[in-house]
Amino acid sequence: MRALEVRALSDDLSGLALADRPIPRPGAGEVLVRIEATALGFPDLLMTQGLYQAKPSLPFVPGMESAGVIVELGESHADRGHADWQVGDRVICGGLTGGVAHYGVFPVGAVQRLPDALSFAQGAALRVAYLTAWASLVRLGRAQPGEWLVVQGAAGGVGLAAVDLARELGLRTIAVASQADKLDAVRGLYPIEAGLVGPTGIRRAVLDMTDGRGADLVFDPVGGDVFDEACRYTAFGGRLLVVGFAGGRIPTVAANIPLIKGFSIIGVRAGEYGRRFPDHGREHLAAIHALAEAGRIRPHVQAAVPLSQWREAYAAMRDRRVIGRTVILPHA
């Protein structure tokens, strides 16, 4: 089979190359999946640079989120979950690595049925972004209908998922992006109360729109200057959700600011939260799966490209040219 390998860490993708590998065989408690689509996310890029918190041993096949068809079951043990699956099932699957390839082996615990309402490309783009949005807004942010939400980096993968989910939760959403054309794209996909080009001037605009109160919730996967600005417009009793640092700078804040202004800063690691609290993790998965099955959330895939165009796909993500997600189709 063909797969993309990260052979050396690099800032310019020079350490990546396509390679021929043997098709892996599933063991007990595992399934072999013919991968039809793999969605790229910012952690996939960071791992090629050695900048992500998880650092796989070299060489490795990148790709955390995939969708495809089960083509082989490992040794059948009902207590390992095989009773739930059969060859031909359409599934969402994933792990830390392994997705940018023709085939992948996944533990049955990492496999979920692909909602009928979604294509393979949309299914690959569902799990990580929407789990992050759900854990942020619902579990940790305790969002209530009618509250004001500011989504930083609203045109990115997790930002756009938060905008989509916010509509379902009844929140009033202010989308913030780095460029006006990105805001236009967000507006064309999902309803929002307002769109703002950041990072400067956001505080005054948010306060004006909320009658001086500020935002009840801030979803921030960007960090840097937009986090600094968010500390000035988060409402008393509000929740500032730290999701990531796509802007490049990890910000700091003096402890007297959230004390005096009366807001909470909450770190979000949706995957780790699910590992530490498995029951909650399963609840989160079930919730977004049900919403997707009912057509109430809809992942946006800007481009779906063949495996041969992996470099262009990674470069577009690195250069912040992607609205939502780019997906690689290994067999195209």
Side-chain angles (χ1 to χ4, degrees):
M1 71 171 189
R2 294 288 274 171
L4 182 63
E5 283 187 345
V6 180
R7 298 172 176 174
L9 302 179
S10 62
D11 294 331
D12 59 359
L13 305 174
S14 60
L16 283 70
L18 290 176
D20 292 316
R21 285 188 165 211
I23 296 175
R25 299 268 72 87
E30 296 177 331
V31 295
L32 175 66
V33 175
R34 174 187 158 101
I35 298 173
E36 300 294 342
T38 294
L40 296 183
F42 204 66
D44 296 305
L45 177 64
L46 293 178
M47 271 191 271
T48 71
Q49 302 168 341
L51 299 178
Y52 194 58
Q53 54 259 36
K55 295 177 171 55
S57 300
L58 297 170
F60 66 89
V61 175
M64 299 175 68
E65 305 178 73
S66 301
V69 178
I70 293 177
V71 294
E72 186 179 345
L73 304 176
E75 186 180 350
S76 182
H77 291 278
D79 61 346
R80 290 179 180 261
H82 279 107
D84 296 331
W85 301 107
Q86 56 186 311
V87 171
D89 284 343
R90 291 162 28 103
V91 296
I92 297 172
C93 50
L96 183 63
T97 60
V100 188
H102 285 166
Y103 294 89
V105 165
F106 303 94
V108 291
V111 173
Q112 187 181 22
R113 208 165 300 279
L114 176 67
D116 291 337
L118 300 185
S119 66
F120 285 116
Q122 290 173 316
L126 174 69
R127 196 151 66 174
V128 169
Y130 281 82
L131 275 178
T132 300
W134 185 274
S136 299
L137 300 181
V138 178
R139 177 67 65 180
L140 299 173
R142 307 180 307 282
Q144 299 299 314
E147 287 190 313
W148 282 96
L149 164 69
V150 174
V151 178
Q152 313 275 24
V158 293
L160 203 57
V163 172
D164 189 14
L165 182 61
R167 170 180 50 85
E168 178 64 26
L169 299 175
L171 300 175
R172 293 183 284 182
T173 301
I174 301 169
V176 179
S178 59
Q179 299 171 15
D181 60 336
K182 290 185 176 182
L183 282 177
D184 291 340
V186 173
R187 285 193 185 95
L189 292 167
Y190 310 115
I192 57 175
E193 297 293 325
L196 302 171
V197 176
T200 59
I202 303 301
R203 173 181 176 271
R204 185 70 267 158
V206 170
L207 292 176
D208 287 346
M209 278 184 274
T210 59
D211 296 325
R213 169 176 168 75
D216 302 290
L217 288 158
V218 180
F219 181 93
D220 181 21
V222 179
D225 293 344
V226 297
F227 175 90
D228 297 341
E229 188 82 347
C231 289
R232 304 176 65 213
Y233 66 70
T234 303
F236 196 94
R239 291 83 74 201
L240 201 172
L241 301 156
V242 179
V243 180
F245 311 108
R249 177 173 68 85
I250 298 175
T252 59
V253 59
N256 67 316
I257 294 177
L259 169 66
I260 293 170
K261 293 180 64 63
F263 67 87
S264 301
I265 298 174
I266 303 171
V268 180
R269 291 182 62 196
E272 183 63 19
Y273 189 93
R275 285 185 286 273
R276 289 177 180 263
F277 306 103
D279 289 345
H280 289 169
R282 285 187 288 270
E283 288 175 15
H284 298 174
L285 271 174
I288 63 169
H289 189 278
L291 290 173
E293 189 68 76
R296 291 160 62 184
I297 55 175
R298 180 171 43 89
H300 175 65
V301 176
Q302 175 175 295
V305 304
L307 182 59
S308 60
Q309 293 180 19
W310 67 267
R311 188 178 297 277
E312 293 88 338
Y314 269 85
M317 182 171 57
R318 178 196 62 201
D319 298 339
R320 309 293 199 277
R321 290 185 277 115
V322 179
I323 306 297
R325 306 296 293 277
T326 294
V327 168
I328 291 178
L329 308 176
H331 295 276

